[in-house]
Amino acid sequence: MELQPASATHAAGLNHYGLVVDDLRATVATLEQRGVTVEDPRPGRRDSFVANAKDLDGVEIEFFQLGPESPQEQASASWR
């Protein structure tokens, strides 16, 4: 979850959040089968893939599949 102060370009409150999944393509396929409009997976930053959808309130959801060299996975590994 990313929190930012309100500004001319960002509304107050939650505007998006991210979820890490093990298999992004399978997650996207399941969401589509259930009627969710979701983007096709695309390369993210280093060693990751991402796809976006919106929840019922219009809040952006980012679905991530992280590889071992992604900065997020490296940070998570250092906390274990």
Side-chain angles (χ1 to χ4, degrees):
M1 181 169 36
E2 182 177 346
L3 301 174
Q4 298 176 339
S7 70
T9 58
H10 290 91
L14 179 65
N15 60 32
H16 79 278
Y17 58 96
L19 301 172
V20 176
V21 299
D22 291 329
D23 186 336
L24 186 57
R25 291 199 181 281
T27 299
V28 167
T30 299
L31 290 169
E32 289 176 336
Q33 288 172 356
R34 295 179 181 178
V36 176
T37 300
V38 58
E39 295 176 352
D40 289 334
R42 66 186 185 284
R45 292 186 177 152
R46 194 173 81 206
D47 199 22
S48 68
F49 290 89
V50 63
N52 292 29
K54 292 193 184 239
D55 71 13
L56 295 175
D57 293 319
V59 175
E60 189 85 18
I61 308 167
E62 297 175 313
F63 296 95
F64 292 98
Q65 180 177 330
L66 304 174
E69 298 302 316
S70 71
Q72 300 96 326
E73 185 57 34
Q74 289 182 350
S76 295
S78 74
W79 301 332
R80 292 183 197 128

